[in-house]
Amino acid sequence: MFETDALRLLVAVAETGSFTGAASRLNYTQSAVSRRIATLEQQAGGALFERLPRGVRATPAGRALHWHAVEVLDRLSRAEHELAVLHTGHGGLLHVGAFATANISLLPTALRTLRETRPDVEVVAVEGPTDTLLRRLEEATLDIAVVSDYPSGLPQAEGVTTTVLCEDELLVALPREHRLAGAETVDLRELRDEAWLQSAYGDRPTMLADACARAGFTPRKIIRIAEWAGKFGYAGAGLGVALVPSLAARAVPDGLVLRHLSDPALRRTVHVALPLTPLPAALRLRDLLHAAASP
């Protein structure tokens, strides 16, 4: 229904807020922009922009079409780059996803080596939880992802393969003034009266819930915090304790200490996830991730 050039013009007008700005960005005349937008509005069945004394503003229909246009143009751009990669075997865009703590050291180490050895590969990085990353691999909007089975297991994804990258021990973060801060290893039962800082608990099985059950207690209180900065802040203030994967050790602030827990099952498995037909650059990054994860 809509030509790609018209969609690009729509995006330019929406982002610049004027026909003049869009004309300058795309090397059109202002009158050509006005004519193309008018034609597009006829195709769309109504006004896409309100004409204001200075510039334009998208109507609800314009905002809806803009959202779809951005997605369509992004997909077409990805297709163009991916076809080039498939034909040449190297270069182009590589869309990479990872969960938060993999972005502290593991993935950046591998990406640095990729940049040094394959400067023709342009990386687009995305951070998110494992279920979101696997869904994006299914939708072909990611080329490779670092995922894990923490806190609730590794979801299944159609058309996606996973291989184990490493085992990651779960430690407990305590304030330096905590009574157990000097211990080398902490028995989970000694933390039965603590508040725990967790993004998920009770609504689905989690490693912490399973470990507490094995130790014979239920946490006194769960404070639901998803971001690591928040968890570290609360723990540093003595408001709770948190499970912290060893991959995150470099990001732990000075006011906290990490201690081993006596339950050997408190560890997660980190995986590399790829589509069934991975790009050559994705396979190269997979190998670099294995190298970065090796002791």
Side-chain angles (χ1 to χ4, degrees), residues 275-295:
L276 294 178
T277 307
L279 297 175
L283 294 175
R284 173 60 178 155
L285 180 56
R286 176 201 61 189
D287 295 341
L288 293 175
L289 283 164
H290 279 284
S294 299

Side-chain angles (χ1 to χ4, degrees), residues 6-288:
L7 294 179
R8 288 191 182 93
L9 187 58
L10 170 77
V11 170
V13 172
E15 292 181 351
T16 62
S18 73
F19 290 170
T20 302
S24 176
R25 177 185 290 190
L26 298 179
N27 199 26
Y28 282 94
T29 64
Q30 184 174 346
S31 60
V33 172
S34 298
R35 289 195 302 271
R36 293 296 298 274
I37 292 297
T39 300
L40 188 59
E41 288 177 324
Q42 291 177 350
Q43 292 176 310
L48 298 174
F49 295 98
E50 297 177 49
R51 276 64 170 177
L52 305 174
R54 291 187 176 182
V56 297
R57 179 173 57 202
T59 65
R63 290 194 296 271
L65 186 56
H66 172 256
W67 186 89
H68 288 289
V70 169
E71 185 173 358
V72 167
L73 293 173
D74 180 65
R75 287 293 187 95
L76 289 174
S77 176
R78 281 178 52 79
E80 180 181 353
H81 283 283
E82 288 176 13
L83 287 173
V85 168
L86 290 173
H87 289 312
T88 64
H90 60 275
L93 290 175
L94 183 67
H95 290 74
V96 181
F99 56 86
T101 51
N103 279 328
I104 292 173
S105 176
L106 175 63
L107 181 58
T109 298
L111 288 178
R112 180 180 58 195
T113 305
L114 182 69
R115 183 182 63 185
E116 293 169 352
T117 59
R118 295 288 301 275
D120 54 330
V121 175
E122 181 183 352
V123 171
V124 179
V126 173
E127 182 175 291
T130 286
D131 55 351
T132 299
L133 298 174
L134 290 173
R135 183 172 66 251
R136 294 192 65 167
L137 278 166
E138 280 186 313
E139 296 169 352
T141 59
L142 282 180
D143 302 311
I144 183 173
V146 182
V147 297
S148 85
D149 58 358
Y150 179 80
S152 304
L154 189 67
Q156 296 297 311
E158 185 176 353
V160 176
T161 63
T162 60
T163 56
V164 174
L165 184 60
C166 62
E167 295 288 325
D168 192 20
E169 182 183 2
L170 298 176
L171 310 169
V172 63
L174 304 171
R176 288 193 176 275
E177 302 78 16
H178 195 279
R179 59 188 174 82
L180 299 173
E184 183 175 343
T185 301
V186 174
D187 190 309
L188 197 60
R189 288 171 293 188
E190 296 182 90
L191 301 171
R192 64 169 60 245
D193 294 325
E194 300 285 349
W196 285 86
L197 309 166
Q198 281 279 110
S199 60
Y201 194 96
D203 49 349
R204 60 183 186 271
T206 61
M207 289 187 183
L208 176 61
D210 291 343
C212 291
R214 287 193 296 272
F217 72 94
T218 300
R220 175 182 64 84
K221 182 180 181 181
I222 298 292
I223 301 177
R224 288 183 176 259
I225 298 181
E227 301 297 331
W228 287 104
K231 290 179 181 179
F232 293 154
Y234 271 63
L239 300 175
V241 299
L243 288 182
V244 176
S246 59
L247 283 179
R250 291 188 182 183
V252 174
D254 291 339
L256 296 176
V257 296
L258 295 180
R259 293 295 177 254
H260 298 282
L261 289 162
S262 57
D263 187 341
L266 275 171
R267 59 184 59 246
R268 66 179 177 180
T269 305
V270 180
H271 303 254
V272 178
L274 290 162
L276 294 178
T277 307
L279 297 175
L283 294 175
R284 173 60 178 155
L285 180 56
R286 176 201 61 189
D287 295 341
L288 293 175

